[in-house]
């Protein structure tokens, strides 16, 4: 692994265009639970079962309770060495795009600039009626928060299963993956579409693709590099000693 880290590090130093995709695994060492695996359980509900418009229609109180729990938890946490290393990488690479599936806002807090939050942001809420999007960073939004403009129910401004991603944001992510010379894929189980297809897009466009994950994923087989380990340990090593 050591030699491979050194080779990729040299390639990154020489690259003009780099894309990075992150998933829940990059925030795990900050203390944010991931979605799948034992970690993805909340009060005996599977996190993915609550991330649907049907769950919200059926029981908005329950879904808000889940999101308020995550708000309270994440508001006490901070970014880790992997988030910070990506900020450093961005300052060295002429064209750098960070695509995240995470809604926790930790890349933002770490200081990443060219950031595409393709599944939305936990700290934004949206009115079901007037569609107004409001930034509200309070750790508890209350049981059933309502819109100040029209009094209708608010929902988290995130993308649930069966919902479309913002097309303009997705297009920018696709373009960055098609154009890049190197793509890093960090801490994602690579099963949720269309996010998962972005790494394939980069590979097909001729990019060198590298995966950093504590486990193998369905994408490991086509990766040029697979670093099996914690993001907080491996990603900083890719930018170590850079001036
Ligand atoms: C570490 C680590 C450490 C841990 N270091 N690594 C059948 C086939 C194909 C597609 C579909 C299908 N049926 C339905 C679909 C479409 C569906 C989909 O992909 N489903 C699949 C599950 C099959 N996709 C959608 O619905 C998307 N929309 C869409 O397609 O629109 C078109 C459409 C419209 C109408 C009908 C149908 C289609 C939307 C997807 C939205 C996903 N939303 C969520 C919730 C966001 C809000 C919130 O956070 O509350 O996004 S679900 C959840 O999964 C969240 C995540 O961003 C996403 C991905 O999860 P991620 O990040 O990969 O986390 P985990 O937990 O899965 O993995 C963590 C990884 O980290 C693991 O690999 C660990 O090993 C690793 N790890 N510690 C390094 N320290
Ligand atoms: Zn409203």
């Amino acid at each position: 692994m050591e030699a491979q880290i050194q080779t990729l590090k040299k390639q990154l130093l020489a690259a003009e265009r780099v894309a990075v995709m992150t998933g829940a695994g990059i925030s795990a060492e900050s203390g944010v639970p991931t979605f799948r695996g034992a970690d993805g359980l909340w009060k005996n509900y599977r996190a993915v079962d609550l991330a649907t418009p049907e769950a919200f229609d059926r029981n908005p109180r329950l879904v808000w309770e889940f999101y308020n729990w995550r708000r309270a938890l994440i508001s006490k946490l901070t970014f880790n060495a992997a988030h910070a290393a990506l900020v450093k990488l961005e300052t060295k690479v002429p064209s750098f795009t960070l695509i995240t599936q995470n809604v926790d806002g930790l890349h933002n807090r770490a200081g990443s600039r060219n950031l595409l939050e393709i599944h939305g942001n936990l700290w934004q809420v949206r009115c079901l009626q007037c569609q107004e999007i409001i930034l509200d960073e309070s750790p508890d939004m209350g049981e059933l928060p309502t819109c100040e403009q029209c009094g209708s129910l608010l929902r988290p401004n995130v993308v649930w299963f069966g919902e479309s991603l913002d097309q303009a944001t997705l297009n920018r992510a696709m373009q960055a993956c098609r154009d890049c010379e190197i793509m890093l894929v960090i801490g994602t189980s690579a099963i949720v579409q269309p996010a998962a297809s972005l790494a394939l897009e980069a590979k097909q466009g001729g990019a060198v693709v590298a995966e950093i994950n504590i486990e193998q994923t369905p994408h490991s087989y086509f990766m040029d590099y697979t670093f099996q380990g914690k993001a907080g340990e491996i990603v900083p090593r890719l930018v170590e000693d850079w001036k």
Side-chain angles (χ1 to χ4, degrees):
M1 181 149 100
E2 183 54 36
Q4 288 202 316
I5 287 182
Q6 294 313 322
T7 313
L8 178 58
K9 193 169 160 179
K10 278 197 199 108
Q11 288 174 311
L12 282 169
L13 260 178
E16 293 279 329
R17 295 176 306 281
V18 172
V20 178
M21 152 74 85
T22 64
I26 196 169
S27 296
E29 289 157 80
S30 291
V32 182
T34 58
F35 286 89
R36 292 163 187 87
D39 229 19
L41 279 180
W42 172 77
K43 290 191 175 180
N44 290 329
Y45 294 95
R46 292 190 312 164
V48 285
D49 291 341
L50 295 166
T52 69
E54 293 76 21
F56 191 70
D57 284 349
R58 213 166 30 233
N59 195 345
R61 243 175 249 278
L62 176 73
V63 175
W64 262 117
E65 197 187 336
F66 172 59
Y67 278 91
N68 280 329
W69 171 75
R70 285 171 68 197
R71 279 175 168 255
L73 176 76
I74 296 166
S75 65
K76 294 193 202 94
L77 306 176
T78 190
F79 59 86
N80 64 52
H83 297 95
L86 293 179
V87 177
K88 188 168 173 188
L89 185 58
E90 179 163 22
T91 64
K92 306 294 174 194
V93 176
S95 174
F96 179 91
T97 308
L98 175 53
I99 303 154
T100 189
Q101 298 172 79
N102 301 344
V103 302
D104 57 29
L106 292 182
H107 285 302
N108 221 331
R109 276 207 246 161
S112 285
R113 294 291 164 91
N114 195 23
L115 172 65
L116 302 174
E117 293 177 312
I118 59 172
H119 290 165
N121 187 303
L122 180 70
W123 308 107
Q124 290 176 359
V125 292
R126 186 168 86 231
C127 174
L128 289 183
Q129 191 60 41
C130 68
Q131 303 296 323
E132 173 97 352
I133 294 171
I134 305 142
L135 179 71
D136 191 326
E137 296 187 318
S138 56
D140 186 355
M141 295 292 297
E143 273 191 6
L144 286 176
T146 51
C147 174
E148 277 185 14
Q149 309 281 329
C150 75
S152 299
L153 186 61
L154 294 170
R155 59 162 280 177
N157 191 33
V158 298
V159 183
W160 286 325
F161 283 114
E163 295 185 319
S164 302
L165 283 69
D166 178 72
Q167 197 56 51
T169 308
L170 182 62
N171 286 346
R172 283 179 61 198
M174 291 254 214
Q175 203 57 50
C177 293
R178 281 190 196 125
D179 288 351
C180 72
E181 297 151 57
I182 304 179
M183 180 167 181
L184 308 180
V185 182
I186 307 170
T188 174
S189 55
I191 56 172
V192 174
Q193 298 294 350
S197 65
L198 292 170
L200 210 52
E201 203 74 52
K203 178 78 180 173
Q204 283 164 354
V208 167
V209 286
E211 180 176 73
I212 296 139
N213 199 306
I214 53 171
E215 289 173 0
Q216 297 277 306
T217 77
H219 282 179
S220 302
Y221 79 95
F222 71 75
M223 290 285 157
D224 297 292
Y225 298 92
T226 49
F227 297 111
Q228 200 162 344
K230 290 185 174 176
E233 289 166 13
I234 293 172
V235 187
R237 299 196 54 208
L238 294 171
V239 297
E240 214 167 47
D241 306 325
W242 282 18
K243 295 282 170 326

